Amino acid sequence: MSHQTIYYIESRAMLDSILNKHYAVLLLFGAPSCGVCQALKPQIADLLAREFPKMVLAYIDCEAQGEIAASYHVFSLPVVETVFYGKTFGRFSKVFSLNDIHHAIARPYSLVSQEQTEEE
């Protein structure tokens, strides 16, 4: 099983840096007390490693980073947001599946991944 690096966001500056540095980012808003969030984290990391290896996974602990969560209007958990070139392309909260995430990522990822390959 392949593994995706998970960036644990410790500040707004760190999040902004990741969003500026990487063209495809999946934001996972969770908390240590959220069992669903903790179960989803490795499953999402595995999905990205297998299907979308150029996409970065950033985890925001909403208990520790409440200001960031509030700025993204996250008031219930879990929340997943897909970001391409700084723009939100998909957002899921509370009830969703890995398949929902896969479908939300597939089309924009294939377009930007192809674009990135052409630039290299």
Side-chain angles (χ1 to χ4, degrees):
M1 182 185 284
S2 27
H3 293 283
Q4 181 77 2
T5 300
I6 301 174
Y7 292 92
Y8 290 85
I9 303 303
E10 297 174 5
S11 67
R12 183 59 190 224
M14 182 181 183
L15 177 59
D16 290 344
S17 173
I18 287 170
L19 289 170
N20 288 327
K21 184 177 178 184
H22 302 281
Y23 65 89
V25 180
L26 186 141
L27 304 176
L28 172 59
F29 294 88
S33 61
C34 172
V36 173
C37 303
Q38 298 310 312
L40 268 176
K41 195 182 336 172
Q43 293 178 34
I44 291 173
D46 182 56
L47 170 68
L48 296 183
R50 283 184 292 110
E51 303 285 333
F52 311 105
K54 294 180 182 177
M55 186 165 226
V56 171
L57 175 55
Y59 176 76
I60 298 98
D61 175 349
C62 295
E63 290 175 4
Q65 302 299 329
E67 210 170 284
I68 295 173
S71 73
Y72 275 82
H73 305 287
V74 174
F75 303 109
S76 62
L77 299 175
V79 171
V80 168
E81 190 166 306
T82 59
V83 180
F84 292 91
Y85 292 111
K87 304 279 188 218
T88 299
F89 272 74
R91 183 176 170 115
F92 302 94
S93 61
K94 294 202 263 184
V95 180
F96 54 89
S97 70
L98 286 176
N99 198 34
D100 294 333
I101 295 169
H102 184 279
H103 287 299
I105 295 171
R107 177 79 175 136
Y109 182 88
S110 68
L111 294 173
V112 297
S113 187
Q114 179 181 11
E115 183 178 297
Q116 289 297 315
T117 303
E118 290 172 1
E119 289 178 4
E120 292 173 357

